[in-house]
Amino acid sequence: MAKGKVLVIGSNATRIEVQGGWGATGQYLNETVVPVWALLEAGYEIVLATPDGTKPHIDPASDSADHFGGDTAAYERAKAFYAEHPAMNEVRTLRSVIAEGLDAYAGVFVPGGQAPVVDLMQDPDMGTILRHFHAAEKPTALLCHGPMAVVSAMPHAREFRAALIAGDVETAQDLAQGWQYAGYRMTVFSATEEKVVEDYILKAKMHFTMPDALRAAGGAVITTPVDFAPNVIVDRELITGQNPRSDHPIAAALVAALDRARAA
């Protein structure tokens, strides 16, 4: 019998706004599969849900053994798992999960890739889910760009995001008043890490950096001085990881938090 259910929330975005147009995006393979493996191995059941109920698109930039420490066997295993395992293919809508009842879930996890910046950051159902887990003080873990989803908990998330794209930080700060996660210590994909993606993958600049966005919302954002060094920060129920190489550390932190909550 499973220890409990963990809600894994994926993105449906395949394109992201950049200065001058749009760039391709998606969800990162390792950031999805590595924590899910850890949760399953620890005895938890996984429920995957997205805004529209379809399976997340994997960003081609993550489709490489490089994100598995060069371990080709681990990479191939991850690809097969994502393609074939029922937990990765029986996808629910966020709305159906809410309707069925969030009390059934022990925790929630949001993988990264830039995709969450497009939809989850401003999705009202995502916001409903996060407010529930915040109020219940249940483990809430988000990785890389995934932490941008916490913006959805504010009542004017869509307008907040639009203000950031317009470069109007003052308006964004006003819209963020009363945000549930204000003052929380957290991390997210850093500005210098993002520049690597802009230069070599997107070939275009983003409208805002992730740390600046979360600081405008009221978060106490901490990133490492060394790009792509693993970094996980735990503050109360919130567990955030900075980048793709934080996949194993955030998995361990989430499992530990779930086990502690279960034993309490």
Side-chain angles (χ1 to χ4, degrees):
M1 186 174 177
K3 290 180 179 178
K5 287 198 293 188
V6 176
L7 180 60
V8 175
I9 299 180
S11 167
N12 292 128
T14 59
R15 299 193 310 153
I16 187 167
E17 301 100 322
V18 294
Q19 293 183 25
W22 292 81
T25 194
Q27 189 165 297
Y28 264 42
L29 178 65
N30 69 302
E31 295 180 21
T32 305
V33 172
V34 168
V36 166
W37 278 344
L39 290 164
L40 290 171
E41 288 164 10
Y44 291 92
E45 178 186 346
I46 298 299
V47 174
L48 175 61
T50 64
D52 70 13
T54 61
K55 189 173 179 178
H57 167 70
I58 293 297
D59 192 326
S62 74
D63 194 2
S64 165
D66 291 345
H67 290 286
F68 295 84
D71 186 337
T72 302
Y75 162 62
E76 294 293 347
R77 179 178 164 232
K79 284 187 71 171
F81 178 88
Y82 191 74
E84 301 166 8
H85 196 281
M88 298 288 93
N89 288 282
E90 296 170 0
V91 189
R92 305 278 303 278
T93 64
L94 300 185
R95 193 154 298 174
S96 72
V97 168
I98 293 166
E100 198 171 85
L102 295 171
D103 288 334
Y105 293 90
V108 62
F109 171 63
V110 181
Q114 290 176 315
V117 183
V118 180
D119 55 0
L120 299 185
M121 180 181 176
Q122 57 181 337
D123 188 277
D125 293 327
M126 180 85 240
T128 296
I129 291 166
L130 285 172
R131 288 190 295 272
H132 169 88
F133 280 88
H134 171 74
E137 300 179 347
K138 291 181 179 179
T140 302
L142 312 98
L143 178 57
C144 195
H145 289 80
M148 296 306 297
V150 295
V151 166
S152 67
M154 64 177 68
H156 302 291
R158 191 175 299 274
E159 295 86 349
F160 174 87
R161 184 177 181 276
L164 291 176
I165 290 174
D168 188 350
V169 176
E170 186 175 344
T171 294
Q173 290 171 332
D174 289 342
L175 289 164
Q177 294 300 309
W179 187 47
Q180 289 82 351
Y181 299 100
Y184 271 66
R185 294 170 62 250
M186 60 184 70
T187 192
V188 71
F189 203 61
S190 74
T192 50
E193 290 167 339
E194 198 76 74
K195 190 174 187 310
V196 176
V197 175
E198 291 173 336
D199 290 349
Y200 295 100
I201 299 173
L202 286 174
K203 308 292 178 62
K205 284 189 66 63
M206 299 279 286
H207 286 284
F208 56 85
T209 74
M210 307 308 115
D212 284 349
L214 290 180
R215 288 183 182 118
V221 181
I222 303 160
T223 58
T224 62
V226 179
D227 286 349
F228 301 103
N231 181 32
V232 171
I233 292 178
V234 181
D235 188 349
R236 288 158 278 186
E237 82 279 6
L238 189 67
I239 305 164
T240 50
Q242 180 173 324
N243 49 41
R245 291 181 184 164
S246 304
D247 53 357
H248 288 280
I250 200 170
L254 176 55
V255 169
L258 289 165
D259 285 348
R260 283 195 302 271
R262 189 168 178 269

